[in-house]
Amino acid sequence: MGSLAYREDLEEEKNSAFTWEVKANNRAYNNQFKEKAFLCWKRKKYKGNIIHTAKYNFFSFLPLNLYEQFHHMSNLYFLFIIILQGIPDISTLPWFTLFTPLVCLLVIRGTRNLVDDIGRHRSDKTVNNRPCQILVGKSFLRKKWKNLHVGDLVCLHKDNMVPADILLLASTEPNSLCYVETADIDGETNLKFRQALMVTHNELTSIRKMASFQGKVVCEEPNSRMHHFVGCLAWDGKKYSLDISNILLRGYKIRNTDTCYGMVIYAGFDTKIMRNCGKIHLKRTKIDCLMNRLVVLIFMSLVLISTALTLGFWYKVTEFKAKHHYVSKIHVYSVATESFFVFWGFLILLSVMVPMAMFIIAEFIYLGNSIFINWDGQMYYEPQDMPAKARNTSLSDQLGQVEYIFSDKTGTLTENIMTFKKCCINGIVYGPDEEEALYKENPYLWNRFADGKLLFHNARLLSTVLGKNDRMVQEFWRLLAICHTVMVQEKDNQLLYEAASPDEEALVTAARNFGYVFLARTQDSITVMELGKERVYQVLAMMDFNSIRKRMSVLVRSPEGSIYLYTKGADTVIFDRLYNKGLTECTTEEALASFAQQTLRTLCLAYKKVDEDSYEEWHHRHQEASILLQNRTHALHQVYDEMEQNLQLLGATAIEDKLQDGVLETIQCLKQGNIKVWVLTGDKQETAVNIGFACQLLSEDMIILEEKEIVQILDAYWENNKNLLSGKGYLKNRFLSQIKIAMVINGEFLDQLLLSLRKEPRALVQNVNADMESWQEPEEQKTNFLQTRRISLMWQTLGTQLRNTGLGSQSKYSDIHESPEVQQERAFVELALQCHAVICCRVTPKQKALIVALVKQYQDVVTLAIGDGANDVNMIKTADIGVGLAGQEGMQAVLNSDYVLAQFCFLRRLLLVHGRWSYMRVCKFLHYFVYKTLASMMVQIWFAFYSGFTAQPLYEGWFLAFYNLLYTTLPVLYIGLFEQDVSAEQSLELPELYIAGQKDQLFNYWVFLQAIAHGTATSLINFFMTLWISHDTAGPLSFSDYQSFSVVVGLSCLLSITIEAILIIKYWTVLFVLAIFFSLCLYVVTTWASQSFQLFIISPKTFPFLYADRNVMFHPSILLVVLLNVSLNTLPILALRIIYQALKKPCPKEKKETPTEGIITVELPPYLQRASCARRSSYAFSHREGYADLITQGTILRRSPGVNGNTLPDHRILSDEELDLSIKESPWYHRKMSFLGKKRHQHRGKVSSEDMQAASMVSSSLTVEGQFSFTKNVAASTNWQSRSSREKLPMKQARPYSHPGSLPATKERPPSPRESQLPLSESRPLPLSQSSLQSQPASLEEKTTFWKMSLLSHKSWPYIWQKEPQPHQQGTAPLPNETHTPVVEILPPSRGDSSTSQQLMEVEPSPAERQPSPME
């Protein structure tokens, strides 16, 4: 793994080089680039957009499929025996007796693989033939995706899928924003945005200009880093920096954007999503691998047995030739030659020890069990008309051995539907009324703006709202209607909200239904209809949400002139900022604890009134902080924190992130079956952890480890335990066994910690480490030192106690040759495997697959991956079993899965019922088949001692041919298809039964040896009892002749194995009785036919046993011998089983206690014991940073004219000086951009393209021609709405601003009076590349051992997840000779001032500066 990961790192380093050159509208230029393919043969460097995910094509199917099939050792074994049978001198059986079944087996498996691959071909054809518009000449023509090439310009419309990774050039949205949905990539349904460069936005304003566009993009080689892109656009002698915020990835869906235009950068398999899809792996079950090893073992045994029998022949043949004159005529060769031939003859004769019939019947058993899955009506989902489907028919038994499940979150565990469930206002909890019958009619009919979708009904709260007497209730709903970043538009006389997160939409919708309706917003105002009265609030500042602040605030001036601050956020930060904590606050805390137990997502709401003097003073400090060149973000956060003090608590909201039906019960049932569930998601940590509690993967009494604790544990492991964990499982189930532990980590941490998961170049990873030390909330800084000391002491205590027990020494299994990185990786995996639950947040598709591969590498366990989106495909392919959910994120997961389900809850029945049954059936089938084969074939060995070691068969040839084909097939098929030890209901009620499959208890080497011993004993009794009884007998009742002896032994064997089948069957039906009856009937009929006189006359050599069976059957004394043999084979085995069960019965309780035997009892230190008063915060908010800036800067509020004909939006053309985006060209821009500043752009999302129209009705228009001018009525000029719609939604014009006068032309100037009236976040540039990374130096120890043990805090113990994963350094290194001016975003920038351009151009963070998101 270490060397493989090192090579992977080198490859990623190589791919990060800027060697990818693409020129627009110039296929000839792009086609000239070649790359070495094989030896001297070169191929085109840039792939086409056609994709092939199928495994085979017309020419490769036969050789490739045969190559895969002959990976089965049994097939190689049979091929070898067939070759031997083709040699007449050594053949004891005709060659076609084995060749025909082998061909049948290969055809059956090949047909199954072909059918699966045909489905992939159909899917590929559908995708490749999707339509798109490509620029050909001077017009966009309708073409297919497969016709796209690198450098082509494409036109995309609303709801189109992006066909390749393209550079966004322009769109019909303001500032060429483009809104996309990434559900098919990362599972998130909230909208995100991308933005074109301002130079292309302003220049490419028509199709003619598009056709003449000759820009060249130089960027990194194709790679799998979904969240990272670095490149530049060279055009007209200038270069413009590019990052991921300018790129539309394949798989994105265009939303709320009428039209956008882009240039293809990567196509086909070079796209990032295809790089993350992984390859199709040949999946084989554990039993299949075990059978491969057993075939080799059997073959080696047969070689040894044949060698021993050949040696016997060597010594006997000389004696035979001397005593029996006819022997010399038969054996004409030398003794050595004859012995050589006899050796191969014995090998062929005993080759039936590995019966071909077993593998053929196994294929039908696998197929039958897969059909039963398809037919299961209890896994049918009626709303989607979707039954369960087994797409891979060879893995059914492995479903009964799964130990680790890797699950996606969004769309797999949850429905991603947020529902307003409860609220607490002024200490009073309002939940849904129990008398639902009272609401046969909608209680919100009095409100003409109510959407009718709110399911929350509370008559008491509604009457309080309508009474207008409770000030706290009014402020509660007013806050929800004002403090947000939701955009609004009108469609069909209805208000439609477009939110950055489903949480915000649920909250604003709830306020809307209770009469506080958000109507419209401008850059500096927000209009709310409060119980029928329209009020316009002036927005003075928007303090945006981010994952460090965990809160969002809006400072507004009411129509009466008063200033209010409205804040919503996590209870852990809101409660620390209240001016007092009285009874209301205590009651609210109790309500929050109750909400947390119900796994609801909570937000606390607070507000305060701000006097004018305090505001003016704070505004001045805010202005100063906003123009800092270093530590700007840090300073702004401190200014925000000053304002957000002495708040008055309003209450709390509780939102339900609705789980899919049955998810909770399914996970609990799986956990009882010793199945561990890991959640791998691209979502935020708080959201994922909240779902973890909702699913009860996490519980109140767990210690939840985050990044810093994990690194500290590993440090303590290195220092104190001397490779304690590196023993490859030596301390499994011993280390920390008395402590419930869960682990919550993110993708960035995995990249840093695990060598095999590190995807970024090493320099970038080091920069990430440097950025980790950033500004923290004050209360977080206070506890770090104490937490570090406590956790270190805990692990030292545990390590000391472990060493005192003798387990602390270095394991004998550790590999001293492993590198430290690999040992650390192994230690981390061992630690993760000790945890009861693991949640990985912000992981990319490739990271998901690598986590699965890591567990498979270090643990011999069966893994199952389940997901519903394209981001889960790689994980599904990598796991031993892949399950695709037919959800809302497309069909990519389904098309690449082994099993298809409609809901996660069906996984319970799939594993515990069908999986366990299939495993039990296959194991019992193999056990029985091995037994019956040995029982019949070992007789050949005993007979060799009495036949002069001549390799003569004992049985009639037809008995051998029909033994596995007819006589024993039906009982074996019944065992493999219908056997049940317990019913389906009992399997679900007793999930502990599933553990047997995980431990390989039903079929392993020991079980195999038992079957061999049992079969050998049966063969010994049948042969030697018959031989002993028939010894020295003669006359008509004698059966000492060869043919009669053969019939008696064969009949005894057949009846013995039939009785054994009757004894082991637990599920008796009419089918089994018929199977036994017809098996015996077939024996009688075929034996009578093959030993008939008519066939003997036709071919005496082929049918030599004339009436042999009839002679035996009609003599009772001989039948008594058969009965004696059967009794001796059955009664002792039956007695042993009864005795074993009797001895086993008194120990059921001990069996339950066995997992804890040998576990070291570790008493926790007092400081680790959880306080009884601790409360878990259930804060979880999926909002992303950056939307406040989009609003206050007006970036998304100005509407451009639509596209008419061949004309693109006619924007104002900036001068060359304005287009000089020198800041983008600096390498410091990408290497030193702050985590928080970049996150501002990363987390922008769901905003409608029509929002501008609604906003324009209530806002003013600002134009710049050296000064500001104000236009009062914009609606009339824009024709935004008709007369009827204006009557429907009466609006009130915003108050005009005072005239600021002309603007100074100097670079450095104080803010104008006009700017001082603007919202504060608008009057400052975005905090990108402004502050130095060295502003907060951290010690090396702090960087290498990130410690944040929130579980030890007196406030939040043991809920580590309340804290953010890593604090991050704010700001970036300042650019030399650059002056930043606090100007309004729409002002033309002066030369050298890049702040305005930077606001116009949205920049996505590079991996070095941000917490990695799976995909943006």
Side-chain angles (χ1 to χ4, degrees), residues 422-630:
K422 293 183 178 182
C423 63
C424 176
I425 306 177
N426 199 23
I428 302 175
V429 177
Y430 298 95
D433 288 334
E434 296 180 359
E435 296 83 4
E436 294 293 340
L438 298 177
Y439 300 108
K440 294 182 179 179
E441 295 184 359
N442 189 348
Y444 305 111
L445 292 177
W446 59 271
N447 182 2
R448 63 193 179 100
F449 293 104
D451 62 354
K453 298 178 181 178
L454 183 65
L455 302 179
F456 175 78
H457 299 154
N458 188 290
R460 178 186 174 190
L461 178 58
L462 187 59
S463 62
T464 305
V465 171
L466 296 177
K468 303 181 182 180
N469 297 323
D470 194 325
R471 173 66 184 274
M472 299 294 284
V473 172
Q474 293 177 0
E475 294 294 344
F476 178 90
W477 294 111
R478 183 177 291 126
L479 185 150
L480 292 182
I482 291 176
C483 185
H484 58 79
T485 58
V486 175
M487 300 301 296
V488 64
Q489 62 175 326
E490 187 193 23
K491 186 176 182 180
D492 299 330
N493 293 329
Q494 290 290 329
L495 293 177
L496 296 180
Y497 291 150
E498 292 290 348
S501 70
D503 302 75
E504 280 212 324
E505 185 176 0
L507 294 174
V508 178
T509 300
R512 167 184 178 175
N513 283 271
F514 274 90
Y516 287 77
V517 187
F518 164 55
L519 292 179
R521 76 178 337 133
T522 65
Q523 289 177 245
D524 50 10
S525 70
I526 185 168
T527 305
V528 179
M529 181 73 71
E530 298 181 0
L531 300 176
K533 182 179 180 181
E534 183 178 313
R535 293 168 61 86
V536 180
Y537 293 85
Q538 180 186 358
V539 179
L540 302 177
M542 291 187 73
M543 307 169 200
D544 203 0
F545 171 91
N546 66 42
S547 58
I548 297 178
R549 285 169 36 80
K550 297 184 180 180
R551 61 190 181 273
M552 173 189 178
S553 299
V554 176
L555 193 65
V556 298
R557 188 186 300 274
S558 68
E560 294 78 18
S562 301
I563 300 176
Y564 292 93
L565 176 75
Y566 293 105
T567 303
K568 66 180 181 183
D571 52 321
T572 53
V573 296
I574 297 297
F575 273 81
D576 291 335
R577 288 163 175 77
L578 301 180
Y579 76 94
N580 72 349
K581 296 182 180 179
L583 180 61
T584 300
E585 286 72 20
C586 294
T587 307
T588 304
E589 276 200 292
E590 293 178 359
L592 287 169
S594 175
F595 295 160
Q597 291 178 356
Q598 300 170 51
T599 67
L600 302 176
R601 302 158 64 113
T602 59
L603 280 178
C604 278
L605 312 182
Y607 86 116
K608 74 173 181 179
K609 186 175 181 179
V610 181
D611 59 76
E612 197 72 34
D613 294 337
S614 298
Y615 166 70
E616 291 296 336
E617 181 184 352
W618 178 86
H619 174 69
H620 178 70
R621 292 197 304 274
H622 180 266
Q623 289 286 71
E624 291 179 347
S626 64
I627 61 176
L628 289 177
L629 299 183
Q630 295 184 356

Side-chain angles (χ1 to χ4, degrees), residues 42 59 71 274 478 561 616 639 722 775 929 1048 1069 1205 1247 1273 1290 1297:
K42 293 186 177 181
F59 298 101
H71 270 69
M274 295 305 297
R478 183 177 291 126
E616 291 296 336
V639 172
K722 301 299 182 183
W775 178 80
F929 215 106
V1048 172
T1069 64
V1247 184
N1273 192 357
Y1297 292 110

Side-chain angles (χ1 to χ4, degrees), residues 239 518 526 569 1202 1323 1352:
K239 292 184 178 181
F518 164 55
I526 185 168
S1323 61
L1352 300 176

